[in-house]
Amino acid sequence: MPLYEYRCGDCKSRFELLVSREHADEVICVQCGSENVRRLLSIFAAQRLGVASAGGREEFVAGTGGSCGCGGGNCGCH
Ligand SMILES: [Zn+2]
């Protein structure tokens, strides 16, 4: 059940209530019983997806040249 925060327009008191969503707008003031109650923005805990960094490892493609392993150097195989 969500926790809502209300503010009474008559006695200016603020209070929190656990009410079901259907009755969220049918709340009377707990102090003076007034129906002149405004619901404030409820504070929900922001659900954050933990984004783990992937280690930052870079993959190198070894050997750009032929099969000699020199990487296109001066081995004379190219
Ligand atoms: Zn009130």
Side-chain angles (χ1 to χ4, degrees):
M1 217 181 285
L3 178 68
Y4 292 113
E5 188 172 11
Y6 295 90
R7 183 185 182 91
C8 177
D10 288 344
C11 69
K12 313 296 183 190
S13 66
R14 283 171 64 161
F15 55 95
E16 294 176 338
L17 276 182
L18 278 172
V19 284
S20 60
R21 193 173 288 271
E22 307 92 76
H23 302 296
D25 295 320
E26 306 170 5
V27 171
I28 61 173
C29 176
V30 296
Q31 297 292 328
C32 67
S34 169
E35 295 180 2
N36 185 17
V37 167
R38 262 181 54 187
R39 189 176 63 183
L40 304 178
L41 288 176
S42 53
I43 302 170
F44 287 102
Q47 287 186 342
R48 294 187 178 187
L49 295 175
V51 180
S53 63
R57 177 186 295 178
E58 298 180 29
E59 291 187 18
F60 290 98
V61 179
T64 59
S67 59
C68 67
C70 69
N74 299 318
C75 68
C77 70
H78 298 290

